Amino acid sequence: MSSADKNLSVFNTNGLPDISKKRFAILVAEWNSEVTERLFEGAYKTLVDYGAAPENIERGNVPGSFELTLGSQWFAQRPDIDAVIALGVVIQGETKHNDYINHAVAQGITNVSLKLDKPVIFGVLTPNTMEQALDRAGGIHGNKGDEAAMTAIKMIGLHENIRKA
Ligand code: DLZ
């Protein structure tokens, strides 16, 4: 299956960890909020559906995707936060800004994750059009927010398994 056809809300859920006591931060970019709100809903619901306590899920807003990096760092610095999920939408073609933003955020989030040694998930859609974005925010291709939340859960599980071994 090509990545364009993948349903972002269908995943293998074997062996997921107990996340009932884990704390999550979800960062939401306000640019393209009609899409990022749907990403948030998907991420939040997936965390709760797979065992997170609602009181253990915090939300923060940033103006645009570019700010996801610093916002993620602020959350990730907190010892009580187990994983950060960064959600944004940068529509290619609308502006040349997209290349700079996408690369900066991908690199920045990777750096934060490595520096603070915890999952910081890149939940940023980079579609060509708004229609493609909506298709991946609860539309025909599922929801990138679901996928980002599941990725956070799986990384928590992987870390636990590696530490136990
Ligand atoms: C400036 C800008 C542009 C042109 N496009 C987007 C976008 O498609 N998606 C997004 O999340 N943010 C965009 N921004 C805002 C930047 O991410 C950032 O907030 C500003 O450049 C201020 O640093």
Side-chain angles (χ1 to χ4, degrees):
M1 185 190 293
S2 77
S3 59
D5 295 331
K6 181 175 163 43
N7 188 313
L8 296 159
S9 300
V10 176
F11 15 69
N12 178 350
T13 57
N14 292 333
L16 295 178
D18 174 6
I19 58 166
S20 57
K21 298 203 166 48
K22 302 296 181 188
R23 265 194 102 78
F24 297 86
I26 305 178
L27 267 176
V28 185
E30 290 171 350
W31 264 76
N32 300 312
S33 62
E34 65 274 40
V35 185
T36 59
E37 286 304 321
R38 295 179 193 203
L39 299 181
F40 171 76
E41 284 162 20
Y44 184 91
K45 183 173 186 310
T46 299
L47 292 177
V48 172
D49 284 351
Y50 287 92
E55 63 270 24
N56 288 341
I57 304 172
E58 280 183 56
R59 173 179 173 153
N61 287 354
V62 291
S65 292
F66 190 79
E67 286 73 39
L68 288 170
T69 299
L70 184 56
S72 295
Q73 177 160 288
W74 287 337
F75 268 125
Q77 278 169 341
R78 274 182 34 195
D80 62 319
I81 296 287
D82 295 292
V84 181
I85 298 164
L87 302 175
V89 177
V90 184
I91 300 190
Q92 317 235 16
E94 282 192 358
T95 166
K96 282 199 72 160
H97 249 78
N98 74 75
D99 284 339
Y100 303 112
I101 296 172
N102 294 344
H103 292 155
V105 178
Q107 190 62 57
I109 282 179
T110 304
N111 292 344
V112 173
S113 187
L114 295 176
K115 185 169 105 182
L116 292 161
D117 195 30
K118 60 181 71 171
V120 181
I121 310 302
F122 183 76
V124 179
L125 284 172
T126 58
N128 289 315
T129 64
M130 177 57 82
E131 186 186 358
Q132 289 177 350
L134 290 167
D135 285 347
R136 290 159 181 78
I140 56 169
H141 292 303
N143 192 323
K144 180 79 177 168
D146 296 2
E147 185 215 37
M150 183 52 63
T151 303
I153 295 169
K154 288 186 174 184
M155 288 304 288
I156 286 172
L158 174 66
H159 199 201
E160 282 182 358
N161 291 341
I162 290 171
R163 277 181 303 183
K164 263 190 261 162

